[in-house]
């Protein structure tokens, strides 16, 4: 039997995923060793392999078959646009992708003005403004604190992930429109889905039962 390989988004997502897996009897003791320098962790008994990757890289590993299965946020799946099957909403890591800004920017969105939009997610922003709102905008990609953009006058609005909204409120900004809900999702390589259909379907069934408890 060949190994099934999982790519997990680093950080809280990986921790929550491993906790969920443990509930259905999938453990990987090696990953609990905080001092380990290993990159790939193995459960020999179940023929499973795990590795941690930066979120945006997870869909890439899965598309190219370096991982059979990936766990990553819906925002990353949308932004990366890789050829993968999204098979399960894991239900944690819930937040929203939103258009945010000062209150007085709201009419600019309603009247479809030409505005500048700062974001870490240019593809999501482009799709929302061009295909959903049919509004022409100039998109500015940033990597750091997106909230800074309207404050210093770089853009009228931002497109960003909102969890509690406290950072926005502290800086006098607010949610103006909701783009889409987000959470952790499981993705599968299309070839793996065919070749390892029975094992993957069994895994999905057990995960669904656990999530719906």
């Amino acid at each position: 039997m060949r190994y099934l390989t999982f790519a997990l988004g680093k950080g809280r997502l990986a921790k929550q995923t491993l906790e969920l897996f443990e509930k259905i009897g999938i453990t990987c003791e090696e990953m609990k060793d905080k001092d380990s320098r290993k990159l790939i962790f193995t459960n020999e008994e179940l023929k499973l392999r795990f590795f941690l990757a930066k979120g945006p890289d997870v869909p890439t590993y899965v598309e190219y078959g370096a991982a059979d299965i990936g766990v990553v946020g819906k925002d990353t799946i949308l932004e990366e646009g890789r050829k993968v099957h999204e098979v399960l909403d894991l239900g944690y890591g819930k937040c929203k992708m939103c258009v945010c800004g000062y209150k007085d920017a709201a009419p600019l969105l309603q009247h479809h003005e030409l505005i500048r939009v700062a974001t870490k997610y240019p593809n999501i922003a482009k799709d929302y403004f061009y295909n959903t709102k049919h509004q022409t905008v100039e998109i500015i990609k940033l990597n750091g604190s997106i909230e800074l953009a309207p404050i210093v006058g770089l853009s009228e609005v931002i497109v960003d992930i909102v969890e509690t909204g406290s950072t926005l409120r502290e800086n006098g900004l607010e949610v103006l429109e909701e783009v889409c809900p987000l959470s952790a999702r499981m993705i599968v390589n299309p070839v793996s889905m065919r070749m390892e259909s029975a094992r993957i379907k069994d895994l999905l069934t057990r995960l669904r039962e656990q999530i719906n408890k």
Side-chain angles (χ1 to χ4, degrees):
M1 193 161 68
R2 69 182 277 276
Y3 286 100
L4 266 188
T5 303
F6 293 77
L8 308 180
K10 282 180 179 176
R12 196 168 52 170
L13 213 59
K15 186 173 176 287
Q16 289 173 295
T17 303
L18 291 169
E19 284 168 4
L20 174 63
F21 281 4
E22 283 206 345
K23 287 176 183 169
I24 63 163
I26 293 176
T27 57
C28 190
E29 293 304 318
E30 286 187 325
M31 290 189 90
K32 292 179 181 171
D33 179 4
K34 294 278 184 284
D35 302 320
S36 174
R37 312 293 293 173
K38 288 181 83 167
L39 296 174
I40 294 195
F41 304 91
T42 311
N43 179 324
E44 285 295 344
E45 191 189 345
L46 298 173
K47 281 283 186 268
L48 302 175
R49 285 194 306 196
F50 301 86
F51 64 88
L52 300 174
K54 279 203 163 176
D57 293 339
V58 171
T60 309
Y61 283 115
V62 175
E63 179 183 349
Y64 285 96
D68 301 291
I69 297 168
V71 174
V72 73
K74 176 70 175 175
D75 51 299
T76 305
I77 298 168
L78 291 171
E79 185 60 30
E80 295 300 314
R82 295 287 179 181
K83 293 183 183 73
V84 296
H85 292 318
E86 185 187 316
V87 292
L88 190 60
D89 182 345
L90 297 166
Y92 46 82
K94 283 189 177 175
C95 45
K96 295 171 190 164
M97 186 69 73
C98 297
V99 181
C100 313
Y102 289 118
K103 199 173 195 166
D104 59 12
L108 302 173
L109 297 170
Q110 287 153 15
H111 303 142
H112 289 69
E113 305 261 348
L114 175 58
I115 54 171
R116 285 182 302 195
V117 179
T119 185
K120 282 181 192 170
Y121 304 94
N123 293 327
I124 293 174
K126 203 176 288 176
D127 181 63
Y128 177 70
F129 277 100
Y130 290 11
N131 300 327
T132 304
K133 280 180 68 70
H134 307 294
Q135 179 172 357
T136 305
V137 295
E138 183 185 347
I139 290 169
I140 301 168
K141 185 175 188 315
L142 290 178
N143 299 300
S145 301
I146 307 296
E147 295 86 3
L148 200 54
I151 296 168
V152 299
L154 176 66
S155 70
E156 282 79 15
V157 297
I158 60 174
V159 169
D160 203 14
I161 291 174
V162 176
E163 208 163 344
T164 62
S166 55
T167 310
L168 291 173
R169 286 191 294 276
E170 279 173 27
N171 292 288
L173 307 172
E174 57 186 69
V175 172
L176 302 172
E177 292 178 355
E178 188 180 320
V179 178
C180 60
L182 304 171
S183 57
R185 308 292 165 100
M186 183 168 275
I187 54 176
V188 179
N189 171 277
V191 176
S192 304
M193 197 76 199
R194 290 199 304 276
M195 306 292 285
E196 294 290 344
S197 174
R199 288 172 80 191
I200 292 172
K201 280 181 180 163
D202 173 60
L203 172 71
L204 292 175
T205 303
R206 283 155 59 208
L207 285 170
R208 272 195 199 96
E209 284 169 1
Q210 183 60 45
I211 291 164
N212 295 330
K213 268 186 181 176

